[in-house]
């Protein structure tokens, strides 16, 4: 009996030693924006003034070598009206991510088992590639958001669930799966299963996700049942950079969700599910240029700084190698043509052109490094909206800041 007790004590000490010797470390980021957005009718009428105000805070705690936790929250009052500045606010706080990760490392691979709430490693945000491979973000300058740490997603997934990811130590490849419960566009509870594959190299960075989901119902022919599944939906997303961020390259981002493949509306795609961005990038000797074609849904647009219309094109010219005492200064300009009130697929079909509004914007911006891990960005956007009918002048100024620690 004494030998058994000694063995148990030794095993307990062996298990606890890594916990006692490990030194927890923490890192994080905080950021936000404030400004003014004014829409002034050119033919007379009431002007509309809004105060964009949004921000985020994120933290990661590496408790031991095999366990870490992450959290990210956002506050958004972008629709805060100037007239109501002293009386009311539409500000809201949302949970972007809360997760816990168990890590097991071996000679050939590292395994990551996660439990999460909220939006977890979404396609288009660069979060997955940054965490698995430690690469720098490569998202479009146009997709900057004051409410996300690592860029705007083109495929939004959120809910509560678990994931299992394997990262091959001898090859820059990661693959795995997610199982989670969330709500669809109709606010029905949905069971989702997603598969993911990613790799990085000097010539290509790729993040690919495919998944299926099914709304869970408890009635059939007006009778209560334990569980019924009669609809299957498909989702998919890709985030890919061909070439290097230091030379000529091509960024491709795509996301499509809630496409019914089995059910009453199978085979019908109405465009509500589609987000994409195509961006060739050219590096000249003195500056860089990006040419962008994009389509975003209304929910995604609400989280962006530069873009205001669901469909559009843009040309960006910038210089990001101006050396200062605290780092490199970036100066640039976006010239944007946007089409509002229209979904990409419907516009291509020509079935929604009568509802479209045509808009043009010029947006100079500057990003200033303040210290190590801290920067401030200022932008001014001047636009003419609804060019073909009752035109209005849109003037927007945003000052944003971000600090990592």
């Amino acid at each position: 009996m004494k030998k058994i007790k000694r063995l148990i004590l030794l095993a307990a000490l062996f298990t606890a030693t890594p916990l006692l010797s490990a030194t927890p470390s923490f890192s994080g980021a905080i950021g936000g924006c404030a400004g003014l957005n004014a829409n002034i009718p050119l033919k007379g009428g009431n002007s509309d003034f809004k105060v964009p105000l949004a921000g985020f805070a994120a933290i990661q705690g590496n408790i031991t070598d095999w366990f870490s936790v992450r959290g990210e929250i956002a506050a958004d009052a972008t629709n805060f009206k100037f007239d109501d500045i002293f009386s009311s606010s539409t500000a809201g706080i949302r949970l972007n991510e809360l997760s816990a990760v168990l890590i097991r490392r071996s000679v050939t691979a590292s395994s990551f088992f996660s439990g999460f709430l909220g939006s977890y490693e979404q396609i288009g945000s660069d979060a997955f590639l940054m965490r698995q491979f430690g690469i720098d973000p490569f998202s479009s300058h146009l997709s900057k958001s004051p409410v996300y740490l690592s860029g705007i997603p083109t495929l939004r997934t959120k809910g509560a669930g678990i994931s299992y990811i394997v990262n091959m130590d001898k090859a820059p490849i990661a693959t795995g799966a997610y199982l989670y419960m969330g709500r669809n566009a109709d606010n029905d509870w949905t069971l989702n299963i997603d598969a993911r594959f990613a790799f990085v190299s000097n010539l290509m960075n790729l993040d690919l996700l495919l998944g299926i989901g099914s709304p869970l119902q408890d009635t059939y022919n007006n009778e209560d049942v334990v569980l019924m599944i009669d609809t299957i939906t498909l989702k998919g997303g890709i985030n890919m950079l061909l070439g290097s961020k230091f030379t000529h390259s091509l960024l491709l981002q795509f996301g499509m969700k809630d496409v019914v493949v089995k059910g009453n509306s199978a085979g019908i795609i109405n465009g509500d599910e589609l987000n994409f961005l195509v961006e060739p990038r050219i590096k000249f000797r003195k500056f860089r240029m990006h040419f962008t074609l994009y389509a975003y849904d209304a929910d995604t647009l609400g989280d962006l700084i530069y873009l205001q219309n669901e469909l559009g094109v843009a040309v960006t010219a910038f210089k990001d190698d101006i050396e200062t005492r605290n780092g490199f200064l970036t100066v640039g300009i976006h010239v944007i043509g946007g089409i509002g009130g229209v979904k990409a697929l419907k516009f291509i079909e020509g079935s929604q052109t009568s509802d479209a509004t045509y808009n043009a914007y010029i947006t100079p911006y500057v990003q200033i490094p303040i210290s190590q891990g801290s920067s401030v960005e200022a932008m001014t956007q001047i636009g003419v909206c609804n060019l073909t009918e009752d035109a209005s002048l849109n003037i927007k100024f945003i000052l944003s800041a971000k600090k990592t620690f």
Side-chain angles (χ1 to χ4, degrees), residues 356-375:
T357 61
Y358 298 89
N359 316 276
Y361 308 89
I362 296 178
T363 312
Y365 67 96
V366 58
Q367 182 176 340
I368 306 169
I370 302 300
S371 62
Q372 183 67 33
S374 302
S375 63

Side-chain angles (χ1 to χ4, degrees), residues 4-24:
I4 294 176
K5 289 182 178 179
R6 289 176 182 175
L7 289 173
I8 294 174
L9 180 60
L10 288 172
L13 289 172
F14 179 79
T15 303
T17 299
L19 286 173
L20 295 173
S21 61
T23 302

Side-chain angles (χ1 to χ4, degrees), residues 144-347:
K144 287 185 178 179
S145 172
V147 293
Y148 280 99
L149 170 63
S150 54
I152 199 73
T154 50
L155 176 61
R156 291 173 178 261
T157 55
K158 59 183 178 179
I162 57 175
S163 71
Y164 181 70
I165 303 295
V166 177
N167 189 322
M168 307 302 177
D169 289 349
K170 295 186 178 181
I173 296 173
T175 186
Y178 302 77
L179 175 66
Y180 58 98
M181 290 286 295
R183 290 189 180 272
N184 61 13
D186 297 323
N187 207 35
D188 297 324
W189 282 107
T190 304
L191 178 64
N192 303 273
I193 301 174
D194 299 345
R196 195 162 201 160
F197 173 81
F199 79 91
V200 298
S201 70
N202 292 332
L203 298 178
M204 177 187 294
N205 294 335
L206 174 66
D207 186 9
L208 176 66
L209 184 140
L210 294 172
I212 60 172
S214 178
L216 304 180
Q217 303 177 29
D218 57 5
T219 59
Y220 179 71
N221 290 334
N222 297 322
E223 295 184 4
D224 292 336
V225 296
V226 176
L227 179 65
M228 186 188 73
I229 296 177
D230 67 347
T231 301
I232 301 295
T233 61
L234 180 69
K235 70 171 73 69
I238 186 170
N239 186 20
M240 180 171 63
L241 180 69
L242 294 171
S244 166
K245 63 177 291 184
F246 302 106
T247 60
H248 307 313
S249 60
L250 174 64
L251 175 64
L252 297 173
Q253 294 183 325
F254 175 85
M256 181 170 282
K257 63 181 180 179
D258 297 337
V259 178
V260 178
V261 294
K262 181 182 182 300
N264 295 331
S265 56
I268 299 176
I269 301 176
N270 58 26
D272 293 337
E273 313 90 346
L274 179 65
N275 287 321
F276 68 80
L277 183 142
V278 180
E279 188 174 86
R281 300 173 171 182
I282 300 176
K283 182 180 184 299
F284 296 97
R285 184 177 179 182
K286 296 292 185 180
F287 65 98
R288 300 170 183 262
M289 291 191 72
H290 295 174
F291 303 87
T292 310
L293 171 66
Y294 71 89
Y296 285 121
D297 58 38
D299 288 340
T300 302
L301 279 176
D303 290 335
L304 295 175
I305 293 178
Y306 292 111
L307 302 179
Q308 301 193 47
N309 307 122
E310 291 91 335
L311 180 65
V313 295
V315 177
T316 301
F318 66 97
K319 186 175 178 60
D320 60 356
D321 57 357
I322 304 172
E323 190 170 2
T324 68
R325 184 178 62 180
N326 297 315
F328 290 98
L329 178 76
T330 299
V331 177
I333 186 169
H334 303 296
V335 180
I336 305 167
I339 304 175
V342 62
K343 299 180 179 68
L345 293 181
K346 297 295 184 181
F347 185 79

Side-chain angles (χ1 to χ4, degrees), residues 37-41 46-50 81 83:
N37 189 353
N39 197 56
I40 305 168
N46 295 325
S47 300
D48 182 32
F49 295 87
K50 294 183 179 180
K81 288 200 172 183
D83 293 341

